[in-house]
Amino acid sequence: MRVLVVEDEPDLLRVVATTLREDGYAVDTAADGEDALFKAKAWEYDAVVLDVMLPKLDGWAVLQKLREVKHTPVLMLTARDTVQDRVRGLNSGADDYVVKPFSLTELLARLRALIRRSAGQSTAVIEIGEVCVNTLTKVVTRQDELVALTPMEYALVELLVLHRQQMVSRTTIYDHLFDEEDDSFSNLVDVHVSNIRKKLGRDFITTRRGQGYMIEG
Ligand code: CA
């Protein structure tokens, strides 16, 4: 899953970005509202973590302009836990918010839930045949046996599972799994898919030549 983190306070931006990368996300960053809006329009992020107080354009303005063109899930970082901020956030089309200072654990939990909801998955544990994917714990089992996936294999499985019964193009996979600092190359996706099939079964992922990949179950 690829997220954009927008925060002008360098230490906080670094801590949040590092934490999310350690949790398996591809992470792009922006330190002002204009850069944030540019990136959020340019890429299909799974979510945007958006600070309210920002240089150039504040978070509310970014949210408003973004909502004119797309519905990327947005988690606002609000400085004050006031009624006005809550009402304003929800009226402006924010999907959720956390109040500063927040714990990184809370941020991760909210972000995970937000991405799951926006993909139309109401439950955290998704079963496909004999395979079970827990998107909270990132644990995958097959016939109740734990399966060890690499972080990239897990990220790919999660993306396909959240969009099951839909064709996911290679372009979509690159957009969601690699951030702007990652220059890994295309054929790696085939390698990951091949490794996932060895672990979860040949039929777990269907390939549509020239189109992309799909979990049919
Ligand atoms: Ca700020």
Side-chain angles (χ1 to χ4, degrees):
M1 298 292 131
R2 182 173 177 181
V3 297
L4 174 66
V5 181
V6 189
E7 168 63 63
D8 59 319
E9 211 278 290
D11 289 341
L12 183 57
L13 179 61
R14 195 160 45 238
V15 167
V16 170
T18 304
T19 304
L20 293 180
R21 286 198 183 104
E22 285 171 358
D23 205 51
Y25 291 92
V27 181
D28 293 346
T29 60
D32 68 63
E34 282 179 4
D35 192 32
L37 187 60
F38 174 79
K39 286 179 176 168
K41 283 180 169 176
W43 297 99
E44 295 305 319
Y45 291 108
D46 296 285
V48 177
V49 177
L50 181 59
D51 188 30
V52 170
M53 301 292 284
L54 292 169
K56 298 188 183 175
L57 273 180
D58 73 13
W60 300 124
V62 172
L63 178 61
Q64 189 190 355
K65 287 177 186 293
L66 180 63
R67 281 289 171 267
E68 289 169 7
V69 290
K70 56 167 76 162
H71 295 282
T72 311
V74 173
L75 178 74
M76 301 295 288
L77 303 178
T78 66
R80 292 154 293 135
D81 186 16
T82 64
V83 173
Q84 287 100 313
D85 268 7
R86 285 179 192 228
V87 170
R88 186 171 180 184
L90 298 173
N91 282 346
S92 313
D95 299 277
D96 201 358
Y97 62 92
V98 292
V99 178
K100 287 179 167 180
F102 53 84
S103 77
L104 291 166
T105 313
E106 184 191 5
L107 181 67
L108 284 175
R110 294 289 194 88
L111 194 57
R112 243 175 251 147
L114 177 57
I115 290 172
R116 201 175 67 230
R117 279 202 310 275
S118 72
Q121 279 291 344
S122 53
T123 59
V125 180
I126 301 157
E127 287 183 44
I128 298 113
E130 60 192 20
V131 175
C132 181
V133 179
N134 186 324
T135 59
L136 280 185
T137 57
K138 297 181 189 284
V139 166
V140 176
T141 58
R142 182 183 184 190
Q143 292 177 326
D144 297 325
E145 298 279 338
L146 193 65
V147 178
L149 298 178
T150 66
M152 189 53 75
E153 287 166 8
Y154 176 81
L156 183 50
V157 165
E158 188 183 71
L159 178 70
L160 293 174
V161 161
L162 287 177
H163 298 91
R164 64 196 282 193
Q165 295 170 347
Q166 299 167 37
M167 182 60 59
V168 180
S169 71
R170 298 171 68 89
T171 312
T172 302
I173 292 172
Y174 300 131
D175 283 355
H176 288 259
L177 297 193
F178 303 107
D179 59 40
E180 58 194 357
E181 288 172 16
D182 199 326
D183 52 11
S184 326
F185 263 97
S186 53
N187 53 0
L188 283 180
V189 171
D190 298 325
V191 175
H192 294 311
V193 167
S194 160
N195 288 336
I196 291 167
R197 284 192 176 123
K198 282 178 200 148
K199 295 174 181 179
L200 297 179
R202 275 226 69 73
D203 301 331
F204 185 68
I205 298 174
T206 306
T207 306
R208 291 280 162 79
R209 202 161 291 283
Q211 294 182 61
Y213 300 97
M214 180 172 177
I215 287 178
E216 292 183 338

